[in-house]
Amino acid sequence: MAVEGLAVLLAIALTFAGVFDCSSAYDRPPARRSHLVPLSDDLDSTSPQQVHISMVGEDKMRISWITDDPTLATVRYGTSAGAANGISANGSTSSYKYLLYKSGQLHNVVIGPLKPNTVYYYRCGLDLSPQFRFKTPPAQFPIKFAVIGDLGQTEWTRSTLQHISKSNYDVLLLPGDLSYADYLQPLWDSFGRLVEPLSSQRPWMVTQGNHEVEKIPLLHSTPFTSYNARWPMPFEESGSNSNSYYSFEVAGVHITMLGSYTDFGVGSEQYEWLQSDLGKVNRTKTPWLVVLLHAPWYNSNTAHQGETESIDMKAAMEGLLYGSRVDVVFAGHVHAYERFTRVYNEQANDCGPVHITIGDGGNREGLASKYISPQPKISVFREASFGHGMLEVVNATHAQWTWHRNQNDEAVASDAFWLQSLAANPACKE
C-alpha cells in the first residue's frame, strides 16, 4: 500500500481511537508503540504467512494462513516429516477490503479426523512451501490451557509469548483484544506474523474485544470485519450463527466463548444461544465448564468501571452461568490481573464461578495500575503486572490455576490455587 494511503489510515485510526475510546478516566503509564513485524525476505508472494490453527469439533483442525497472491487452498499433512506425501485436504479462499486497504488471500482448510495428543506435520498451499507442525490436544485429562488477554504487539507482548512458549500448553485461550490494529490494517498482518511461531503449533481459541470492533460511522459500518475474516472460530459447529460467540469441548472441558460487543440482552440471539448451549452440557462427559468474555463482570480496578458491556451483560447472563454451575470465568479488558473468589450477585458463593481478569498480555496502552481501596472481600489477589495464566485440569475433580508475571525470568507462579469442579461438589447439585 502507498505511503499516502497508510498516512490516511493512520490519521483515521488515531481520530476514532480517541473519539470512541470507552475507557474510564484513570492514569496509565506511558503507552508504547506497536512493533511492526515485516514479511520475511525468505517468503515469496505465494508463501504461507500468519499461519494459525484452531479446533473444529473433537477431532479436526482448521489451518488458516495468508498469501499475497492467489494460490491453492490446500493442506498436506501427516504424522511424519515430509508431509508433502501425506493426506491432502482442500478449503476456501477469501479476502476483504477496509477503507483503502485490501487484504491478501485468506485461506482456510479443515483437516481430520486427527488422533489426540499426536504431532502432525503440514504444508500450506504449494508443495514447496515451508513445513509446519502442530500437536493435537489430549482426549483425556490432564490438559493444560494457556490463558492471555489484551495481547497486542509490543516488547511486553514478546516477553509474554516467550514465557508461554516454554510452558508446553495444549490449547491457548484468548478473551479478546488481539492485535490492537485499531483500524490500521497492516498491523493485523504484523500481529499474524508475530504469533505464528506459537499459533501454528497449538490451537488458539479466541473471542472478540472492543479493539476488534473497528466500526467507523459513515465510512465502515460493519463491525468485526478484519477479525471475522482472519480468525474464524467453530461457531457453526456449536449451533451459533455468529463468530462472536461459540463453544467447543476438549478432554473433559466445555468452553463457552461469549461476545461482550454483540447484543447480549435477555431475548437476544446470543442470550438464547447461551441458554441452549449451557443446557446441552453433559457434566459426566465434560465435568468442567469454563466461560470466556472480554469485559469483566467483577473488577476492583479503577479502569473500565461502569461500562454497559460489563454491568448490563452481567445483569442479563450471570443467572444463566450460576444456574449451570460454571467453574471459572476469564475476562480481559482491564490491563491488570485480578482473581476473585467464587461469587454470585456480588457476594461470595461456593456454587458460583471464580472470576479472573487477565487483560495483562502486553498491549500498547500500558497497565491499569490503580485499584479501588479498600480491596473488596471477594477480591482475593490483584496486581498490575504483565503476564499470563495456566489452567491445568488434572482430572474430573481438580484443576490448578497459576498466574505468572513477566518480570520473572523463570516460570514462577505469582498467584496459584486449586479449584474443585462444581460438578464434584454435592452441595452445588440441584
Side-chain angles (χ1 to χ4, degrees):
M1 179 180 292
V3 174
E4 293 81 1
L6 284 174
V8 171
L9 281 177
L10 179 58
I12 293 172
L14 293 175
T15 299
F16 283 93
V19 172
F20 295 100
D21 181 10
C22 58
S23 60
S24 306
Y26 62 97
D27 295 329
R28 288 191 191 275
R32 296 190 182 184
R33 296 181 62 184
S34 295
H35 290 274
L36 194 68
V37 180
L39 181 64
S40 172
D41 292 336
D42 296 332
L43 302 179
D44 60 32
S45 62
T46 58
S47 296
Q49 54 169 300
Q50 307 176 47
V51 180
H52 60 91
I53 66 174
S54 54
M55 298 177 59
V56 180
E58 295 185 356
D59 60 358
K60 294 181 175 63
M61 202 75 71
R62 176 181 285 107
I63 313 296
S64 302
W65 76 98
I66 295 177
T67 57
D68 289 339
D69 291 338
T71 189
L72 296 175
T74 299
V75 171
R76 292 187 179 273
Y77 65 100
T79 55
S80 60
N85 298 320
I87 304 170
S88 178
N90 298 318
S92 62
T93 299
S94 63
S95 63
Y96 73 92
K97 292 183 179 180
Y98 187 95
L99 301 180
L100 301 178
Y101 173 90
K102 187 178 187 303
S103 74
Q105 302 294 301
L106 284 69
H107 309 283
N108 290 281
V109 177
V110 176
I111 65 173
L114 306 172
K115 298 178 181 178
N117 206 27
T118 301
V119 174
Y120 283 86
Y121 299 84
Y122 65 103
R123 296 184 190 274
C124 304
L126 302 176
D127 290 344
L128 297 178
S129 67
Q131 179 174 264
F132 298 89
R133 69 176 183 176
F134 67 83
K135 187 176 80 69
T136 55
Q140 300 176 338
F141 303 120
I143 183 171
K144 181 186 286 189
F145 298 93
V147 189
I148 49 173
D150 299 68
L151 190 54
Q153 42 191 313
T154 67
E155 291 304 317
W156 295 320
T157 308
R158 292 179 185 274
S159 177
T160 299
L161 294 176
Q162 288 170 1
H163 280 72
I164 291 176
S165 67
K166 303 174 183 177
S167 66
N168 195 31
Y169 68 95
D170 296 300
V171 179
L172 186 139
L173 306 176
L174 202 163
D177 283 2
L178 283 70
S179 71
Y180 281 76
D182 291 332
Y183 316 98
L184 191 56
Q185 297 303 295
L187 284 177
W188 274 108
D189 295 310
S190 173
F191 177 78
R193 298 178 192 124
L194 174 65
V195 302
E196 182 187 85
L198 278 73
S199 63
S200 62
Q201 296 190 46
R202 298 290 188 278
W204 279 38
M205 309 303 291
V206 305
T207 189
Q208 40 95 338
N210 54 303
H211 287 270
E212 275 73 63
V213 177
E214 296 187 310
K215 183 178 178 180
I216 303 177
L218 303 179
L219 298 178
H220 190 91
S221 60
T222 303
F224 308 115
T225 298
S226 311
Y227 170 76
N228 285 339
R230 293 171 180 270
W231 290 85
M233 292 290 116
F235 66 93
E236 294 173 324
E237 287 76 8
S238 59
S240 168
N241 64 359
S242 171
N243 197 47
S244 294
Y245 49 91
Y246 64 96
S247 68
F248 65 99
E249 294 183 349
V250 56
V253 184
H254 183 99
I255 299 175
T256 298
M257 313 287 270
L258 298 179
S260 296
Y261 300 88
T262 300
D263 190 8
F264 47 69
V266 175
S268 66
E269 290 185 349
Q270 182 174 196
Y271 180 94
E272 296 294 333
W273 172 85
L274 175 62
Q275 191 172 42
S276 174
D277 182 68
L278 294 176
K280 296 175 184 176
V281 175
N282 181 347
R283 296 303 281 267
T284 300
K285 178 184 177 183
T286 54
W288 290 92
L289 182 50
V290 176
V291 169
L292 276 80
L293 47 86
H294 187 63
W297 295 355
Y298 288 89
N299 170 33
S300 73
N301 196 291
T302 60
H304 297 300
Q305 289 290 333
E307 294 181 2
T308 184
E309 292 83 9
S310 296
I311 296 173
D312 293 348
M313 190 178 194
K314 174 176 175 287
M317 294 182 168
E318 187 179 25
L320 294 181
L321 271 59
Y322 178 75
S324 297
R325 300 299 188 252
V326 169
D327 291 295
V328 59
V329 176
F330 292 109
H333 201 40
V334 176
H335 301 160
Y337 172 74
E338 184 166 19
R339 173 170 62 89
F340 289 83
T341 187
R342 291 196 177 278
V343 62
Y344 173 62
N345 196 25
E346 303 293 332
Q347 301 292 324
N349 188 305
D350 290 341
C351 297
V354 173
H355 283 257
I356 295 175
T357 299
I358 188 129
D360 58 347
N363 66 87
R364 60 174 170 75
E365 294 177 341
L367 292 165
S369 57
K370 291 189 176 182
Y371 288 94
I372 295 171
S373 182
Q375 182 172 353
K377 292 182 179 179
I378 57 175
S379 174
V380 178
F381 187 102
R382 57 187 190 176
E383 181 178 317
S385 294
F386 288 114
H388 69 280
M390 288 288 162
L391 178 65
E392 186 168 8
V393 184
V394 178
N395 53 38
T397 60
H398 287 84
Q400 185 179 38
W401 166 255
T402 55
W403 174 70
H404 308 268
R405 69 170 70 90
N406 284 354
Q407 288 92 324
N408 296 324
D409 292 332
E410 303 297 329
V412 178
S414 304
D415 178 40
F417 80 110
W418 283 88
L419 298 88
Q420 182 185 27
S421 170
L422 292 181
N425 185 345
C428 297
K429 293 183 179 181
E430 296 180 335

